[in-house]
Amino acid sequence: MVFSEGSMKQMVTKVAINGFGTIGKRVADAVDAQDDMEIVGVTKTSPSFGCELVVRKGYPLYCTFDDNEKIGAFADSGYECKGGLSSLLSICDVIIDCSPGKVGAENLAKYKLAGVKSIFQGGEKHTLTDISYTSSANHSENMDVDSTRVVSCNTTGLSRTLVPISEFVKEKGKISVNSVMIRRAADPGDSSKGPINAIKPVLKVPSHHGTDLMTVKPEIEITSLAVAVPTTIMHVHAITVTLPSGHGLSAEKVLELWDNTPRVILMNGAKTKITSTAEVMELARDIGRKWGDLHEIFVWEDGVSLLDDTLYYFQAIHQESDVIPENVDAIRAIMNIEKDWKASVDKTDKAISAYNGI
Ligand code: NAD
């Protein structure tokens, strides 16, 4: 930890990013936007095109590996590489692992050896860290832990809209949820995934998304099915919630709950003419965040219906970006900086907006 200059000395957490891909480059910017943390380095595996962005942003560039030949390859391509992962680990307080998934165990061993706290992403299993994270579900449980995992984009989306409902009805009982996840086939930058002309059900039934929510909010009983469709821009969830009797909710009250929930956008599809994910992403581009990101979960208010004890709704998830502000909040939890999740969310989001000039 270091102290920044100024009359009120503030702790500035030194953050490293391991893996500067779709998620890593976005988390780096979100961290760079905050005044209580700074980027001390990001890693690339090799001198690919992403290094240009690293240079433009002025982030110190490190190699994902300690191998001298791999480190040397950066200079051969004209990039200044400051060293391998071990060098980066020696100067940071916390590392955000944004590797492609399933390499977490190997990376965690390196972080532990260096005595550095770490945050993983949803491509890793909950068992890697034995604790997972979303801002609204379990921020306080994550205070001062050594390592955590920000759940996937889909699970983050489920948490955003289901946690407030679960909290509202908890005196009356638990909610029971079934969600159908209509998943994008690939991110816009991916050329190796599909399908491109098919609808592909995930035959592992139920899918992992529902059970993943229970890692951050075990009180919610949930199952899910998933299907991949040929789009790159968003996921859509079709959600059915069975509420406990005497729940006290109406469709209007549910909308009011979400209206008061951070990082949820409610819009009327018929009135706004936002009738599909295409228009939702156009709205996101209008908002003006970098890469046209949408950190919020989008809910069509005219698609919300409550019949007796059953609530139905649709929501859309920008898979590349809803987890980005959650990573910033997770840093404040595991570094013991801010106990109040809403205070952290407010600080994170205001700083990102200012950074983007919006
Ligand atoms: P990506 O493939 O775009 O980026 C991964 C980066 O890590 C690449 O730059 C790659 O070169 C680098 N890398 C490769 N091996 C590495 C290693 N051993 N150690 C460190 N870095 C390594 O992947 P992504 O989409 O950014 O996904 C990163 C993580 O975030 C995954 O766990 C994924 O499941 C999760 N996630 C992805 C999305 C999404 O929509 N892309 C959404 C939420 C969560």
Side-chain angles (χ1 to χ4, degrees):
M1 294 262 184
V2 292
F3 292 103
S4 65
E5 293 186 359
S7 53
M8 290 286 291
K9 288 196 169 176
Q10 186 189 26
M11 299 282 264
V12 174
T13 300
K14 295 181 171 194
V15 181
I17 309 283
N18 194 17
F20 196 72
T22 306
I23 298 298
K25 66 184 178 186
R26 288 172 163 84
V27 174
D29 259 26
V31 167
D32 194 37
Q34 312 300 316
D35 65 5
D36 54 350
M37 47 189 85
E38 65 174 332
I39 294 289
V40 294
V42 307
T43 74
K44 290 293 295 176
T45 53
S46 64
S48 58
F49 75 94
C51 294
E52 284 301 321
L53 181 61
V54 179
V55 172
R56 206 159 358 112
K57 292 293 307 181
Y59 299 140
L61 174 64
Y62 288 79
C63 178
T64 313
F65 310 102
D66 286 330
D67 184 298
N68 282 335
E69 208 175 310
K70 288 184 172 152
I71 296 171
F74 287 88
D76 296 344
S77 296
Y79 296 111
E80 186 197 347
C81 178
K82 297 206 171 285
L85 181 66
S86 300
S87 306
L88 181 55
L89 285 169
S90 72
I91 58 159
C92 67
D93 301 316
V94 58
I95 190 155
I96 318 300
D97 189 293
C98 301
S99 62
K102 314 290 181 281
V103 293
E106 204 180 309
N107 285 353
L108 180 58
K110 294 176 190 168
Y111 308 153
K112 277 188 174 164
L113 199 63
V116 170
K117 292 194 175 209
S118 52
I119 295 174
F120 290 84
Q121 308 303 314
E124 302 297 337
K125 290 206 160 78
H126 173 74
T127 48
L128 178 72
T129 49
D130 281 331
I131 183 158
S132 293
Y133 180 89
T134 70
S135 307
S136 63
N138 66 344
H139 182 87
S140 56
E141 284 164 28
N142 276 269
M143 292 300 290
D144 210 19
V145 301
D146 287 335
S147 193
T148 193
R149 176 188 73 124
V150 170
V151 295
S152 73
C153 49
N154 277 309
T155 309
T156 298
L158 291 171
S159 176
R160 290 260 179 90
T161 51
L162 288 169
V163 167
I165 295 172
S166 166
E167 290 289 311
F168 184 87
V169 302
K170 70 182 176 199
E171 304 297 325
K172 300 288 175 190
K174 292 180 177 182
I175 60 171
S176 165
V177 182
N178 184 261
S179 179
V180 178
M181 334 292 293
I182 301 145
R183 294 182 38 220
R184 62 91 176 94
D187 285 340
D190 271 341
S191 60
S192 60
K193 293 185 186 158
I196 59 168
N197 69 342
I199 296 171
K200 189 174 178 184
V202 176
L203 298 177
K204 186 178 176 301
V205 175
S207 74
H208 67 273
H209 308 92
T211 34
D212 203 25
L213 180 65
M214 292 159 84
T215 66
V216 292
K217 195 74 180 168
E219 315 71 314
I220 297 178
E221 291 167 355
I222 174 165
T223 57
S224 57
L225 294 171
V227 54
V229 295
T231 179
T232 61
I233 53 176
M234 291 194 106
H235 304 304
V236 165
H237 298 167
I239 300 177
T240 308
V241 186
T242 306
L243 301 163
S245 59
H247 50 76
L249 284 169
S250 59
E252 292 69 30
K253 181 71 193 165
V254 170
L255 292 173
E256 192 186 311
L257 281 181
W258 288 332
D259 206 26
N260 291 319
T261 300
R263 299 177 187 155
V264 173
I265 288 181
L266 287 174
M267 282 204 181
N268 185 298
K271 285 188 191 152
T272 60
K273 300 197 169 38
I274 297 179
T275 57
S276 78
T277 54
E279 291 93 12
V280 175
M281 286 316 295
E282 193 58 21
L283 168 83
R285 287 186 279 268
D286 290 348
I287 290 174
R289 290 195 193 107
K290 220 162 142 188
W291 299 285
D293 283 352
L294 188 66
H295 295 165
E296 297 83 359
I297 306 309
F298 185 96
V299 182
W300 282 272
E301 63 180 35
D302 38 348
V304 177
S305 175
L306 204 159
L307 302 175
D308 301 326
D309 291 340
T310 310
L311 171 72
Y312 304 87
Y313 65 103
F314 293 104
Q315 61 181 19
I317 313 288
H318 186 224
Q319 77 280 353
E320 295 171 285
S321 73
D322 69 332
V323 299
I324 303 306
E326 307 270 323
N327 271 272
V328 176
D329 299 331
I331 293 172
R332 292 208 182 91
I334 79 166
M335 296 307 295
N336 217 8
I337 297 171
E338 174 59 71
K339 265 194 229 153
D340 178 348
W341 74 271
K342 282 192 172 162
S344 178
V345 164
D346 190 53
K347 184 171 173 64
T348 301
D349 294 355
K350 281 189 175 134
I352 292 172
S353 291
Y355 194 73
N356 287 295
I358 49 178

